[in-house]
Amino acid sequence: MTAPEVPPRTTSSIQALKPLEMKQAQELAQYYHVPQPLMNTFAIQFGDTVYWKEAFLLERAHQRGLQRIEVDKPVNANGEWTTEARIYPRITASMIEAIAKLPEAERKEAWAYMTAPTREWGHASTSNVRMSTMHAWLPEIAIKRGVCRALRLFCGIGQTSYEELPEVVVEPKDVEEAKARVIQDDKSKRPPSPPPAKQPAIQQAWTDTTGSKQ
């Protein structure tokens, strides 16, 4: 079976989806401290509601300390594609230093807590993706939704993202980005090792986490 062709670059044909109004874009850009020309890349309006896009959620997550994103290969069960996305926080020297000062018995638990990923799930099926032309890309849409939901939880954003709407449209770059996020090796899912008991704890723990001395 050959894979379906990448969908052509297109915009939504649903009239309710539209760019932000000028005043609204200005206010949001000022509030979130981003250039106004980026606002229509970051958000879209549906009716009277603004929905954030994955690009904005990624920007906010990097500001809050995003280290990496992992996504499992989507699985099809009864016509619905499902995947889990995990957002791992960035480990800083100050975090390692704080853990190193804890009693040895508390270090492992503290390290596991501070490095635990934010987990969410993405679901896509013909019942929650409205446009029939998008049904060939349900696995990729499930990935996008899982990532966006995890990013929202990581950033503390309760507003539903554009990618979660039934009106979502994927473009060639969205398909390739979604595929690139899927992890292929189960070893990459292993949690980082806790800082060792021996000193120097800061240097050794940082080496264990990154694979190189900083």
Side-chain angles (χ1 to χ4, degrees):
M1 180 181 294
T2 59
E5 296 181 356
V6 174
R9 183 173 297 275
T10 180
T11 57
S12 175
S13 61
I14 299 176
Q15 295 295 324
L17 289 174
K18 59 183 179 180
L20 299 178
E21 296 177 0
M22 181 66 70
K23 182 179 179 181
Q24 193 170 36
Q26 291 175 340
E27 293 174 348
L28 289 172
Q30 183 177 8
Y31 182 82
Y32 288 105
H33 305 289
V34 296
Q36 182 180 332
L38 292 179
M39 288 312 302
N40 281 312
T41 301
F42 284 168
I44 196 166
Q45 190 168 345
F46 183 53
D48 295 326
T49 305
V50 172
Y51 294 91
W52 296 113
K53 295 182 179 180
E54 183 184 23
F56 174 79
L57 298 174
L58 282 169
E59 174 71 17
R60 297 293 290 177
H62 279 291
Q63 292 174 2
R64 294 180 64 88
L66 167 67
Q67 182 193 65
R68 72 182 189 277
I69 300 173
E70 290 182 354
V71 184
D72 291 337
K73 185 176 181 180
V75 175
N76 187 343
N78 299 320
E80 180 177 75
W81 290 89
T82 303
T83 187
E84 181 188 73
R86 296 173 293 281
I87 308 295
Y88 286 86
R90 183 167 59 243
I91 308 303
T92 64
S94 60
M95 293 167 62
I96 295 174
E97 183 176 4
I99 293 176
K101 293 178 180 178
L102 294 173
E104 182 177 347
E106 299 178 13
R107 289 178 187 170
K108 184 175 181 180
E109 183 177 355
W111 181 260
Y113 176 79
M114 296 180 74
T115 60
T118 299
R119 301 173 181 270
E120 260 296 356
W121 287 261
H123 306 272
S125 66
T126 56
S127 64
N128 60 28
V129 175
R130 185 164 298 170
M131 297 181 67
S132 60
T133 54
M134 294 295 101
H135 291 171
W137 308 104
L138 294 179
E140 289 75 19
I141 293 175
I143 293 171
K144 303 291 279 187
R145 287 176 170 177
V147 169
C148 286
R149 287 174 62 85
L151 287 170
R152 291 199 296 111
L153 186 58
F154 183 79
C155 297
I157 296 177
Q159 178 69 41
T160 301
S161 66
Y162 162 68
E163 285 79 2
E164 297 173 72
L165 295 177
E167 290 77 15
V168 65
V169 173
V170 295
E171 299 186 4
K173 65 179 181 64
D174 298 317
V175 172
E176 297 305 319
E177 288 176 0
K179 291 178 179 178
R181 293 196 187 282
V182 176
I183 60 173
Q184 303 296 332
D185 187 352
D186 288 341
K187 292 181 180 179
S188 63
K189 298 166 64 176
R190 296 177 183 175
S193 301
K198 295 181 180 180
Q199 296 295 331
I202 300 174
Q203 177 177 325
Q204 184 61 48
W206 187 252
T207 301
D208 290 345
T209 305
T210 64
S212 62
K213 294 182 179 179
Q214 302 291 327

